[in-house]
Amino acid sequence: EASKDVLELLVLIETWWCDEGMRYGMTCNMLRQIRGGDHVWCRIKAGSMEPPLREQPVVCAGIGSGLAPHMAFLRERVRAAEAGEEVAPFSLFFGNRYKAKEYLYREEVEGYEEKYDWFKLHTAFSRDQAKKIYVQDLVGMTDDARLLLRENPTGMLYVCGNRNLPKPLQDNLVMSFSQHSEDAVEIVAATAAMEDMFVHGRAQQEVW
């Protein structure tokens, strides 16, 4: 409902070098070159994620263009808040390589963080320091996942990015859930809680 009449795309421009110079992916290059007034034929395919209810706490973890569905969920929560509706906490974990060049929607999300006390933003830019820090690391380093997902039975987790994200993210969810406990019983319980989310649809993901 936040933008009923607008179709917005977040597209990674695929490039690679060969003997003839830089090459671009076919579809993304076509989109890169269109201008206002151009017409593009397309088909909209529904995603696999079910949007959260405004009263459900949310944790979103996304890499690169995987931020797209999270922005849709966040904007809908902002719309509800602006309409005077009660909304649950929302934590966004976003990562890319370089902050200066790849901090997508920076002004918008930082504006939301400043304005709304129900929204928390965590960012990781892996190539900006000697020791690489990734989105999944931030999930394990903070309490957001534990508070919004393990301690609240209605909390929702959404994961979007490349196929290498889910496994280390799950490991860090266990760290957050167990508060970095070394107790074997607590680790088993935290692992079971994490797995239960995926089994019962409280954790949803789109990866490629």
Side-chain angles (χ1 to χ4, degrees):
E1 294 184 15
S3 53
K4 292 182 178 180
D5 301 320
V6 176
L7 175 62
E8 185 172 326
L9 302 178
L10 178 53
V11 179
L12 171 68
I13 304 299
E14 181 71 11
T15 61
W16 67 93
W17 287 95
C18 61
D19 292 341
E20 292 76 25
M22 180 175 284
R23 295 296 191 213
Y24 292 87
M26 184 170 65
T27 302
C28 65
N29 193 43
M30 180 273 292
L31 293 172
R32 185 177 69 93
Q33 296 182 68
I34 62 176
R35 297 293 181 264
D38 291 347
H39 289 76
V40 178
W41 291 97
C42 63
R43 180 178 64 179
I44 299 176
K45 181 180 179 180
S48 61
M49 294 181 178
E50 291 292 330
L53 302 175
R54 67 176 184 274
E55 61 269 20
Q56 289 180 296
V58 170
V59 172
C60 287
I63 298 174
S65 57
L67 181 60
H70 305 328
M71 289 301 299
F73 299 154
L74 177 56
R75 286 172 175 173
E76 175 57 24
R77 188 143 299 189
V78 168
R79 181 210 61 78
E82 290 295 320
E85 302 173 20
E86 290 289 331
V87 298
F90 190 117
S91 288
L92 172 63
F93 293 83
F94 168 67
N96 229 331
R97 296 172 302 174
Y98 303 103
K99 184 174 183 178
K101 298 186 293 184
E102 299 176 340
Y103 192 167
L104 307 175
Y105 296 100
R106 177 176 184 171
E107 184 175 347
E108 182 174 354
V109 294
E110 289 186 350
Y112 292 152
E113 183 183 37
E114 183 176 342
K115 184 175 183 180
Y116 302 109
D117 58 9
W118 49 262
F119 176 59
K120 292 181 69 175
L121 174 65
H122 306 275
T123 57
F125 299 96
S126 60
R127 307 296 173 81
D128 281 348
Q129 61 280 315
K131 183 180 179 181
K132 294 180 180 179
I133 299 176
Y134 298 102
V135 161
Q136 59 266 24
D137 299 325
L138 295 183
V139 172
M141 292 163 56
T142 60
D143 289 328
D144 297 41
R146 176 178 60 83
L147 295 174
L148 302 186
L149 301 177
R150 188 179 188 188
E151 296 187 6
N152 192 311
T154 67
M156 294 292 296
L157 169 68
Y158 297 95
V159 182
C160 194
N162 70 52
R163 61 183 178 275
N164 297 317
L165 175 59
K167 181 58 172 70
L169 178 64
Q170 291 170 12
D171 293 340
N172 278 276
L173 283 170
V174 172
M175 291 183 191
S176 178
F177 283 8
S178 66
Q179 300 184 69
H180 293 261
S181 174
E182 296 182 0
D183 180 75
V185 174
E186 177 55 30
I187 293 173
V188 169
T191 301
M194 178 275 293
E195 293 174 345
D196 184 76
M197 291 187 59
F198 284 87
V199 171
H200 292 94
R202 290 180 52 221
Q204 301 180 24
Q205 60 186 33
E206 286 189 357
V207 295
W208 54 87

